[in-house]
Amino acid sequence: MEEKTAVQSEFSYLDSFLKELHAQNPAVLLGLVVAVIVVLFTIVFFQVFWSRKSTRNAILLIGLCDAGKTLLFSRLLSGKFKRTQTSITDSSAIYKAKNDRARSWTLIDLPGHESLRPQFIEKFKSMARAIVFVVDSAIFQKEVRDVAELLYSLLTDSVVVKNAPTLLVACNKQDITMAKSSKLIRQQLEKELNTLRVTRSAALSSQDGSSGGTSVPLGKKAKDFEFSQLPMHVEFVECSALGGGAEEAESDMEALEMCLARVA
Amino acid sequence: MLDFFAIFSKGGIVLWCFQGVGVTESFTGPVNALIRSVILQERSGNNSYTHNALTLKYKLDNEFELVFVVGYQKILMLTYVDKFIDDIQLHFRDRYKNVLEQRGDLKLLLNNFDFKDDFTRLLHKAEESSKSRGPVSMKPFAESQKSQKTVKSMIETKGGDKGKEPSGKGKKGGKKEAPAPEPVGVDAQKGGAAAATVKAAENGSQNLTQEEIVAMNREKFFGKKLRANKEKTSKSPKPQKPKGKQKRTWDNGGSSTKELDYSNSNGNSSHDASGPSGDAPADVMGVHQLDPMKGDLRPVDVSSEEDDDDDDEEEDVTAVADKNTKKGGIGGMFGMLKGLVGSKNLTRKDMEPVLEKMRDHLIAKNVAADIASQLCDSVAKKLEGKVMSTFTTVATTVKQALQDSLVQILQPKRRVDVLRDVLEARAQHRPFVITFCGVNGVGKSTNLAKISFWLIENGFTVLIAACDTFRAGAVEQLRTHQRRLNSLHPPDENSGRSMVQLYEKGYGKDAAGIAMEAIAYARNQGFDVVLVDTAGRMQDNAPLMTALAKLITVNLPDLVLFVGEALVGNEAVDQLVKFNQALADHSTSNKPHLIDGIVLTKFDTIDDKVGAAISMTYITGQPIVFVGTGQTYNDLRSLNAKAVVSTLMKA
């Protein structure tokens, strides 16, 4: 309390009292200065502490439109099947990891539509502890270039690279017969990202001169790109949020939940 | 009657849905189409949308972040739907208020929203009410519009001699002129004609983009004319008719005829000086067909004008001043404090002045006028009912929302990576074909040269097809570019192969044929990219547009780029709409190839008036692939949505 009042008085009567203080005992002056420093220090400490705590505790669901992010969101949280539509905004909820520590994360489902995606990724990327990159395995062949482009933009983002969140590539919709396996998806993505490295570096710079702003090069220069070159931990998981096709069927996401449980 | 009714959160989780009896197909497809093509494209001004055989109507609840969508067969004209959605929204909110107010989105997953009983009850009620209303009984005369206007209609009959004229604008102008010193028909007509030409010029840019509104206005106008005619059948003298016809030809002639008109007025009467200058503003305001324009620019003033038929400029000025002072009052200290403290729901009324300001700001930045108002409407719809957090003002909230919307619009809706696509085409051993189209003098050939330079730098071989067989010097221009590009990248450095070649067949030939030969040639010679340069054409020139559509249908290019200059204002809308329309109309396939992307040229000349970028992407929904920013081959850029939007929002 004393400190606070001291600070207040100093602020409000700064001019008139300063001279008087000089005239006073130097011990009092020293005490005041110490008090002010202590208060400032605590404020800064708390700020850092809080910001550290509030950021980087989110698990992001990112992917193209119709990859099944919102259903995955629902399945992870409640285990229930929900019909879904194209998302217009993000949805978030507390998710308890299924391990003995039972840490709770904020699970955030980002909209996948092209005109919304960049803004939302921008907004949440600094909070990411883990990123679940949802891929539609059934039509992967058709979408491979779009998927790779999204992944490329994520992996070359300086914030993402700096924080190095765990990357889980969830190969969704494994219940469909023609779905590609996670192994194949991994190979194809590596190949595609390798091509993208070439074309993207040759892309035109944007108007204000910066090319993509804060991007960092992807992987190791001389070698073909592999996911193992990345600073973050990358894992490929097969899952099926829908389950056996029928609405009531159990979903098949144990592998994904296991992986999420391992996120430290 | 209803095919489906769905209630879902903005996050995409369906809370409750109803499917009509005998409806088998899922509503997911149509609703997704609605979201992607209306809500996400900032076209929410209108709340209905047609998808195949279904009409969808929707309502956003911004407070609880919900969307209500109803769908029914297009052929059914259900009148109760709008009110029904409102009712459902109210009931749903009331019933699940406690649940919806919880934080986080878990509530949406855990709770079971069983709304069926309420829904069936409300639906039954709505259907009953629509049935019981039955055929509308006839209005008694006392309630009719006709009985309302006695004096006015008198005035109309007086000047109504001109009402017989085929040009509607002329008639209206005449009506305004009636109280003038000389009520002689000739004079009034002339004034009306002058106004009409001015207005026609102004309206020209808007007419076709808002076809519906114009059609509506026209209907309204014809109705009026008929009524007017009925009232004064006995009075209207016939000799006026031929003069009216003359004037119609002036109408269509455009601006040059205006001079003609002035000279006429000089010779004819003493009224000349006051005629054009005094009448013009009054006519502009008064003419009914101007409605769309009026709505965009300053609806407040015009409505105040319409009330008193006696037009007086000074009165207008005072009225405007009044409005301004009122506005200033609201934005005062007290209002600011009130806005800052306490959270409350945004209402349309709160936002109106801010939106008005934003709209003017956008227009000042060269965004096409009707697009600016559509955007503002959409933002209003997105914000209505939203709870403002403490320490934010209405102005900042609206501004932020508008900024988000603008970024959203400029964000490409699909992957834009020409180099990747060219690589793909190369893997398939075929050339990647890009066609450039646009109006005259926007820089098609110049930017084509820049793009070929960029492609060559990236190691692709380019064939330029000179399909501008009309403009003198077009082929020579391309030849010059080709020589220069080849000298920059000499064949010796590229294993003896010249990186760029020109494919030309001289002037006067069929462009589609030349393009086809060029593509065949490129395939044989192993070129990576074919750039097809077309002749510039006005969007109204039907034969040329048909030719362009033919070129595109025959050759099936991978990319059709529309080249537009950043200087363009309202005209952007017209150009793009008509180009797209022509490509759609003249195509034989049922899935016509429309414009895939935009090249925005002369971007270095416009300083901060970057509105054209917004106008163009909003209309087509297609990305701006390249931006031309100068005279050299290096001056080609990609668009930075954020930079453009921040320039746009800068005061």
Side-chain angles (χ1 to χ4, degrees):
Chain A
M1 271 326 271
E2 256 183 75
E3 291 162 0
K4 262 190 188 167
T5 48
V7 175
Q8 270 174 3
S9 68
E10 192 182 5
F11 274 116
S12 50
Y13 303 106
L14 204 65
D15 268 350
S16 55
F17 273 85
L18 219 56
K19 280 174 193 165
E20 282 184 42
L21 281 171
H22 274 294
Q24 289 220 344
N25 191 351
V28 176
L29 200 69
L30 195 74
L32 260 175
V33 169
V34 167
V36 168
I37 288 172
V38 166
V39 167
L40 285 179
F41 191 76
T42 32
I43 288 173
V44 169
F45 179 76
F46 266 100
Q47 206 140 46
V48 169
F49 187 72
W50 278 110
S51 62
R52 178 71 55 80
K53 205 172 177 192
S54 64
T55 55
R56 305 257 294 125
N57 65 346
I59 298 174
L60 308 185
L61 288 167
I62 298 179
L64 296 184
C65 237
D66 288 336
K69 295 175 296 300
T70 308
L71 183 59
L72 207 59
F73 176 77
S74 165
R75 283 289 202 194
L76 282 174
L77 287 169
S78 66
K80 276 195 252 175
F81 172 84
K82 283 273 178 192
R83 302 184 74 140
T84 58
Q85 300 288 349
T86 306
S87 307
I88 305 171
T89 62
D90 59 295
S91 27
S92 60
I94 304 294
Y95 171 71
K96 285 230 165 33
K98 294 216 166 87
N99 57 0
D100 30 320
R101 273 181 302 161
R103 271 205 70 170
S104 60
W105 309 100
T106 320
L107 189 65
I108 304 177
D109 168 37
L110 275 67
H113 193 268
E114 283 83 350
S115 56
L116 295 171
R117 202 199 298 137
Q119 286 100 293
F120 280 92
I121 290 181
E122 190 69 26
K123 192 170 151 195
F124 290 111
K125 68 184 178 190
S126 59
M127 292 166 60
R129 177 58 66 100
I131 293 176
V132 181
F133 190 85
V134 188
V135 178
D136 185 340
S137 329
I139 51 167
F140 176 73
Q141 206 66 48
K142 219 173 71 186
E143 287 187 333
V144 59
R145 276 178 274 165
D146 301 70
V147 174
E149 166 122 1
L150 173 58
L151 196 56
Y152 182 87
S153 67
L154 263 182
L155 295 179
T156 54
D157 191 290
S158 60
V159 177
V160 174
V161 169
K162 201 186 87 208
N163 289 343
T166 312
L167 181 70
L168 293 173
V169 181
C171 307
N172 198 12
K173 308 199 184 179
Q174 290 292 336
D175 52 297
I176 298 172
T177 351
M178 297 298 283
K180 300 278 176 291
S181 72
S182 66
K183 212 169 153 193
L184 192 111
I185 288 178
R186 184 181 183 128
Q187 278 171 6
Q188 292 237 0
L189 276 179
E190 278 176 350
K191 207 172 132 213
E192 190 62 35
L193 283 170
N194 205 27
T195 324
L196 267 180
R197 269 203 306 194
V198 180
T199 64
R200 275 311 197 80
S201 58
L204 290 165
S205 59
S206 70
Q207 293 150 297
D208 50 359
S210 62
S211 62
T214 53
S215 63
V216 285
L218 180 71
K220 293 213 173 71
K221 267 246 163 83
K223 285 191 215 155
D224 278 358
F225 173 77
E226 275 171 35
F227 279 107
S228 55
Q229 296 165 1
L230 291 171
M232 61 274 270
H233 177 68
V234 183
E235 227 170 310
F236 279 71
V237 194
E238 288 184 10
C239 71
S240 158
L242 186 62
E247 291 191 4
E248 301 306 321
E250 275 298 303
S251 60
D252 170 26
M253 322 196 302
E254 272 168 30
L256 180 65
E257 283 179 339
M258 290 285 284
C259 285
L260 284 177
R262 262 180 274 141
V263 173
Chain B
M1 289 275 245
L2 299 184
D3 272 33
F4 66 82
F5 196 108
I7 304 173
F8 53 94
S9 74
K10 283 192 184 171
I13 300 162
V14 178
L15 302 183
W16 182 83
C17 61
F18 158 85
Q19 289 228 309
V21 190
V23 178
T24 47
E25 52 187 293
S26 162
F27 62 83
T28 314
V31 173
N32 278 348
L34 167 86
I35 294 172
R36 285 172 203 184
S37 56
V38 179
I39 300 177
L40 291 182
Q41 307 294 312
E42 300 302 325
R43 279 159 225 265
S44 344
N46 188 2
N47 74 339
S48 80
Y49 168 72
T50 312
H51 181 263
N52 296 339
L54 288 176
T55 297
L56 284 90
K57 291 209 173 199
Y58 72 96
K59 191 148 202 276
L60 302 177
D61 185 318
N62 296 310
E63 192 179 344
F64 294 130
E65 306 258 286
L66 299 177
V67 187
F68 298 79
V69 179
V70 59
Y72 53 91
Q73 292 295 321
K74 174 163 75 174
I75 45 167
L76 299 173
M77 293 290 181
L78 301 182
T79 47
Y80 59 82
V81 169
D82 284 317
K83 196 179 160 293
F84 180 61
I85 294 189
D86 289 349
D87 284 349
I88 292 280
Q89 186 196 4
L90 272 178
H91 274 82
F92 191 82
R93 282 172 54 127
D94 281 351
R95 185 159 160 184
Y96 298 108
K97 203 163 184 180
N98 298 332
V99 179
L100 291 171
E101 271 168 354
Q102 288 165 20
R103 284 180 63 81
D105 288 312
L106 200 59
K107 70 208 178 190
L108 305 173
L109 298 171
L110 296 181
N111 283 290
N112 204 7
F113 295 90
D114 194 10
F115 195 57
K116 194 163 171 41
D117 43 348
D118 273 3
F119 180 81
T120 38
R121 188 169 51 78
L122 284 169
L123 181 62
H124 194 67
K125 213 170 93 186
E127 279 178 350
E128 278 304 307
S129 74
S130 74
K131 255 180 235 160
S132 62
R133 214 185 301 145
V136 184
S137 59
M138 265 192 268
K139 264 191 281 188
F141 177 72
E143 279 177 26
S144 70
Q145 278 188 320
K146 200 171 169 184
S147 70
Q148 302 284 317
K149 44 168 171 184
T150 46
V151 183
K152 260 192 230 168
S153 57
M154 284 298 288
I155 295 170
E156 208 165 323
T157 40
K158 207 168 161 194
D161 302 344
K162 294 126 251 161
K164 276 270 168 183
E165 297 157 11
S167 147
K169 301 142 190 177
K171 181 210 113 193
K172 279 284 179 174
K175 173 187 140 198
K176 288 281 178 193
E177 275 252 300
E182 296 156 291
V184 191
V186 189
D187 217 84
Q189 258 177 5
K190 161 195 36 144
T197 47
V198 170
K199 214 220 53 218
E202 278 180 337
N203 231 11
S205 60
Q206 298 233 332
N207 254 348
L208 271 120
T209 63
Q210 304 190 327
E211 276 152 35
E212 287 179 13
I213 301 176
V214 172
M216 235 164 60
N217 281 331
R218 197 167 291 155
E219 240 165 65
K220 211 194 292 174
F221 163 69
F222 279 134
K224 260 208 163 166
K225 202 174 95 180
L226 276 179
R227 210 186 306 140
N229 283 349
K230 242 185 265 166
E231 281 172 13
K232 54 181 175 202
T233 32
S234 57
K235 274 194 181 178
S236 55
K238 281 191 175 136
Q240 299 289 350
K241 264 195 170 174
K243 266 176 197 163
K245 272 191 181 161
Q246 266 180 344
K247 208 168 21 168
R248 173 152 73 169
T249 56
W250 293 358
D251 254 344
N252 294 336
S255 59
S256 66
T257 53
K258 226 195 305 181
E259 292 148 35
L260 245 179
D261 204 36
Y262 285 132
S263 72
N264 227 357
S265 72
N266 272 332
N268 255 358
S269 74
S270 59
H271 204 53
D272 50 7
S274 69
S277 62
D279 295 343
D283 281 321
V284 168
M285 295 305 186
V287 176
H288 227 281
Q289 256 210 314
L290 248 185
D291 268 358
M293 198 67 169
K294 172 189 77 184
D296 296 339
L297 293 176
R298 38 188 61 178
V300 191
D301 302 353
V302 177
S303 63
S304 74
E305 271 237 332
E306 271 197 338
D307 287 346
D308 45 6
D309 249 355
D310 284 353
D311 50 301
D312 191 345
E313 282 185 0
E314 281 180 30
E315 256 184 38
D316 293 348
V317 173
T318 51
V320 173
D322 272 358
K323 291 265 149 63
N324 283 343
T325 50
K326 255 187 229 162
K327 241 181 233 167
I330 292 167
M333 203 57 178
F334 185 65
M336 239 169 77
L337 281 176
K338 227 172 89 181
L340 272 177
V341 182
S343 60
K344 55 167 185 169
N345 291 14
L346 271 173
T347 63
R348 188 93 187 198
K349 227 175 100 193
D350 294 336
M351 290 184 282
E352 207 55 62
V354 186
L355 283 174
E356 188 79 3
K357 227 191 262 168
M358 284 290 146
R359 176 158 41 220
D360 289 349
H361 178 76
L362 287 179
I363 292 170
K365 293 276 184 180
N366 215 1
V367 177
D370 49 342
I371 287 170
S373 31
Q374 279 175 44
L375 267 173
C376 288
D377 283 351
S378 167
V379 167
K381 204 146 209 186
K382 232 163 72 174
L383 286 178
E384 206 170 356
K386 194 171 186 147
V387 183
M388 277 202 307
S389 48
T390 342
F391 293 114
T392 50
T393 57
V394 181
T396 51
T397 315
V398 171
K399 200 167 174 187
Q400 188 55 47
L402 185 62
Q403 193 156 356
D404 290 350
S405 300
L406 291 174
V407 174
Q408 199 174 312
I409 287 169
L410 283 181
Q411 210 65 252
K413 268 103 220 146
R414 55 182 182 79
R415 197 169 47 83
V416 184
D417 192 350
V418 176
L419 290 181
R420 181 70 192 88
D421 293 340
V422 173
L423 274 180
E424 186 70 25
R426 186 197 252 174
Q428 294 170 16
H429 302 290
R430 64 180 181 86
F432 187 81
V433 184
I434 307 179
T435 306
F436 293 77
C437 59
V439 300
N440 306 70
V442 289
K444 283 178 300 298
S445 310
T446 310
N447 281 283
L448 181 139
K450 286 188 206 169
I451 289 166
S452 39
F453 177 72
W454 174 61
L455 290 169
I456 293 164
E457 291 262 287
N458 288 305
F460 296 110
T461 47
V462 178
L463 181 72
I464 301 175
C467 293
D468 184 350
T469 55
F470 180 69
R471 177 171 64 93
V475 176
E476 285 77 4
Q477 184 187 2
L478 289 175
R479 165 135 353 256
T480 311
H481 278 306
Q482 180 239 341
R483 284 213 191 98
R484 294 203 52 192
L485 289 170
N486 267 335
S487 68
L488 285 170
H489 289 270
D492 318 335
E493 286 176 19
N494 303 292
S495 58
R497 180 170 187 190
S498 60
M499 293 300 277
V500 54
Q501 277 190 35
L502 181 70
Y503 190 90
E504 55 118 338
K505 281 275 178 279
Y507 292 98
K509 303 271 172 45
D510 176 32
I514 297 178
M516 180 159 254
E517 288 169 29
I519 293 166
Y521 179 77
R523 185 173 284 129
N524 293 335
Q525 299 290 317
F527 281 96
D528 297 319
V529 187
V530 180
L531 301 177
V532 181
D533 185 30
T534 65
R537 58 204 78 210
M538 262 291 276
Q539 66 271 23
D540 298 302
N541 192 327
L544 285 182
M545 293 308 284
T546 321
L548 177 68
K550 181 189 162 198
L551 191 151
I552 286 166
T553 356
V554 170
N555 294 306
L556 299 170
D558 298 279
L559 201 61
V560 178
L561 292 180
F562 176 85
V563 186
E565 51 179 8
L567 299 162
V568 77
N570 285 323
E571 180 76 359
V573 183
D574 197 40
Q575 285 179 6
L576 275 165
V577 167
K578 285 199 177 141
F579 265 87
N580 255 340
Q581 194 60 47
L583 294 187
D585 284 352
H586 301 298
S587 163
T588 44
S589 70
N590 44 6
K591 206 165 165 284
H593 195 148
L594 301 181
I595 292 167
D596 296 311
I598 296 162
V599 183
L600 197 61
T601 64
K602 311 187 187 177
F603 203 79
D604 50 329
T605 60
I606 51 165
D607 196 23
D608 64 342
K609 295 199 186 309
V610 291
I614 297 284
S615 304
M616 289 186 182
T617 36
Y618 185 85
I619 300 159
T620 52
Q622 297 296 346
I624 292 177
V625 186
F626 300 109
V627 182
T629 57
Q631 310 298 322
T632 68
Y633 286 135
N634 288 316
D635 290 324
L636 193 67
R637 300 274 180 279
S638 64
L639 190 86
N640 182 347
K642 275 203 191 116
V644 169
V645 169
S646 65
T647 323
L648 197 67
M649 297 303 287
K650 210 168 53 192

